[in-house]
């Protein structure tokens, strides 16, 4: 069963705008990870946030985690056409290092 | 660095045929995984290998078998292919630090696109 669920399923914005994607999950987690998948390619790890962290930054990416609401958000600032991809959240539970992936958000950045 | 290499990239099979998907990683990772990705379903874990010599079932193991040949290689076998196994298959690996397995990202290959007629 899917642990993480992304919202929205699809998002279309103009270059330069910010993109926000949300992820909700059902059970307690050890960490939450975000991945990007370009069309026809494998997933690429973007950022990992541990359950005791509330916010993390990496370049133009900002991830927040609210364990009380069991939710996370990924913000991409000043988006570029090259950011067009599907974005997945994945959760890891306890000492179990297996990941459970959501269904993804398809982001389209129009030039 | 090659990272995670999957072969073949594309394959068409007839129902009932068998096939082995190959995966190799050159990052000295301990853990390896096989996922399938179907439209609207995200990624689902088929089997995983926490370390060399061990394998375990994931969410959707029926119809598949795996072999962790050595630390680098993890293969996925379809003994009798069915149309429901038409999918994109991804191999991934993670973990060089055994004490931090739960906080390490996974690295993915570019997938094998498998069609079963």
């Amino acid at each position: 069963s899917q642990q993480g669920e992304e919202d929205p399923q699809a998002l279309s914005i103009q270059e330069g705008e910010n993109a926000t994607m949300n992820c909700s999950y059902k059970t307690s987690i050890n960490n939450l990870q975000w991945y990007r998948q370009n069309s026809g390619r494998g997933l690429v790890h973007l950022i990992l946030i541990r359950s005791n962290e509330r916010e993390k930054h990496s370049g133009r990416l900002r991830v927040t985690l609210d364990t009380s609401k069991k939710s996370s958000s990924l913000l991409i600032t000043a988006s570029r056409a090259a950011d067009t991809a599907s974005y997945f959240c994945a959760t890891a539970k306890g000492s179990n290092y297996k990941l459970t992936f959501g269904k993804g958000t398809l982001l389209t950045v129009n030039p | 660095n090659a990272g995670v290499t999957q072969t073949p990239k594309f394959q068409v099979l007839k129902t009932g045929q068998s096939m082995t998907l190959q995966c190799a990683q050159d990052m000295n990772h301990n853990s390896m995984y096989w996922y399938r990705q179907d439209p609207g379903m995200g990624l689902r874990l088929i089997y995983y290998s926490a370390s060399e010599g061990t394998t375990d079932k994931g969410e959707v193991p029926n119809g598949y078998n795996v072999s962790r040949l050595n630390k680098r290689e993890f293969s996925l076998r379809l003994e009798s292919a069915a149309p429901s196994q038409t999918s994109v298959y991804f191999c991934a690996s993670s973990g060089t630090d055994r004490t931090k397995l739960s906080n390490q990202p996974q690295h993915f290959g570019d997938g094998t696109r498998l069609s079963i007629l």
Side-chain angles (χ1 to χ4, degrees):
Chain A
S1 61
Q2 305 295 135
Q3 163 77 316
E5 294 289 341
E6 293 90 344
D7 171 63
Q9 292 185 357
L11 179 62
S12 182
I13 60 174
Q14 296 301 121
E15 208 164 24
E17 293 180 339
N18 295 341
T20 299
M21 289 159 271
N22 302 298
C23 172
S24 60
Y25 56 92
K26 298 176 182 177
T27 63
S28 63
I29 60 173
N30 184 294
N31 69 66
L32 186 144
Q33 303 177 30
W34 285 92
Y35 289 79
R36 183 189 75 231
Q37 183 180 33
N38 291 93
S39 181
R41 302 298 300 274
L43 279 71
V44 174
H45 179 261
L46 295 175
I47 197 165
L48 181 154
I49 186 165
R50 293 179 172 79
S51 60
N52 60 354
E53 297 175 316
R54 292 296 168 259
E55 186 171 317
K56 204 163 183 179
H57 297 255
S58 177
R60 294 184 296 114
L61 306 181
R62 172 178 171 257
V63 169
T64 61
L65 179 65
D66 187 334
T67 53
S68 66
K69 295 182 179 178
K70 293 186 170 57
S71 67
S72 173
S73 67
L74 171 67
L75 168 67
I76 304 174
T77 60
S79 63
R80 306 165 182 168
D83 295 327
T84 294
S86 291
Y87 291 82
F88 294 87
C89 69
T91 54
K93 296 189 290 184
S95 60
N96 185 335
Y97 45 85
K98 296 184 295 181
L99 294 179
T100 304
F101 286 84
K103 297 179 182 179
T105 293
L106 175 61
L107 172 66
T108 302
V109 182
N110 301 300
Chain B
N1 285 340
V4 178
T5 302
Q6 293 185 235
T7 56
K9 295 188 185 306
F10 302 92
Q11 185 69 48
V12 178
L13 295 178
K14 295 181 180 178
T15 297
Q17 286 186 317
S18 62
M19 164 142 202
T20 299
L21 308 185
Q22 307 287 351
C23 175
Q25 53 92 8
D26 62 2
M27 295 172 283
N28 198 35
H29 284 167
N30 293 307
S31 304
M32 297 186 73
Y33 311 82
W34 276 106
Y35 295 90
R36 60 178 289 173
Q37 184 177 35
D38 302 294
M41 294 295 293
L43 276 78
R44 292 182 291 171
L45 183 64
I46 304 171
Y47 269 94
Y48 69 101
S49 171
S51 60
E52 187 178 355
T54 68
T55 61
D56 284 287
K57 295 178 180 179
E59 183 184 353
V60 288
N62 291 344
Y64 305 95
N65 285 301
V66 291
S67 295
R68 183 73 182 266
L69 305 170
N70 48 56
K71 190 171 186 178
R72 291 186 63 248
E73 298 172 288
F74 189 38
S75 62
L76 178 72
R77 183 162 177 83
L78 286 71
E79 289 291 351
S80 179
S84 61
Q85 294 177 306
T86 292
S87 188
V88 182
Y89 291 85
F90 288 99
C91 177
S93 68
S94 71
T96 55
D97 185 342
R98 290 179 180 273
T99 66
K100 300 178 181 177
L101 290 175
S102 62
N103 283 317
Q104 296 178 73
Q106 294 186 11
H107 299 257
F108 285 78
D110 278 337
T112 293
R113 283 143 189 83
L114 182 62
S115 293
I116 299 162
L117 307 176

